[in-house]
């Protein structure tokens, strides 16, 4: 079985993944008009959640979390959304694995320490030069 057929059937080399396709109840899937209405409803609700998430990227709120929640809503009904979520989960898992690599962790700790030392030096220079005065209370 090649990778293309694996993607279509929902099988992977690691194990059996959830089957692609609609997760609507059987009585809804058995009636074409009802199923189409169900899909439109799922799309509209998912779209509203994704739009709210996009707005939260510039406004206060957990934007990316809400966008992924909208994608999860779409994934209950649409194969393309299921494939996007699978790809995203795979990439996040790979990134987490790389982040847990001892060499990468050591490098990240060293870079963080260097960054904190630089910030501490800059803060020390500021305090030495200006003292502990908030910038908005400086008398001119």
């Amino acid at each position: 079985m090649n990778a293309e057929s694996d993607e279509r059937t929902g099988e992977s080399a690691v194990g059996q993944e959830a089957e692609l396709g609609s997760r609507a109840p059987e009585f809804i899937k058995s009636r074409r008009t009802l199923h189409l209405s169900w899909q439109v409803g799922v799309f509209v609700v998912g779209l509203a959640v994704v739009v709210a998430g996009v707005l939260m990227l510039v406004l206060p709120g957990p934007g990316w979390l809400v966008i992924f929640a909208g994608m999860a809503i779409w994934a209950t009904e649409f194969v393309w959304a299921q494939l996007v979520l699978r790809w995203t989960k795979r990439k996040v898992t790979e990134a987490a694995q790389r982040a847990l690599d001892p060499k990468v962790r050591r490098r990240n700790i060293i870079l963080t320490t260097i960054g904190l030392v630089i910030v501490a030096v800059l803060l020390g220079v500021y305090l030495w030069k200006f003292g502990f005065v908030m910038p908005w209370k400086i008398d001119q």
Side-chain angles (χ1 to χ4, degrees), residues 111-127:
L111 289 175
T112 302
T113 304
I114 290 170
L116 289 173
V117 167
I118 290 171
V119 168
V121 167
L122 291 174
L123 182 64
V125 168
Y126 176 85
L127 290 174

Side-chain angles (χ1 to χ4, degrees), residues 11-62:
E11 297 174 8
S12 72
V14 176
Q16 194 79 358
E17 291 185 12
E19 190 175 320
L20 296 175
S22 175
R23 295 192 182 103
E26 286 303 319
F27 76 93
I28 290 177
K29 286 195 272 187
S30 66
R31 294 167 181 83
R32 182 164 168 70
T33 307
L34 189 56
H35 191 230
L36 185 60
S37 300
W38 179 271
Q39 286 182 323
V40 169
V42 168
F43 182 79
V44 169
V45 170
L47 183 64
V49 173
V50 168
V51 167
V54 169
L55 290 174
M56 286 183 201
L57 290 176
V58 293
L59 299 172

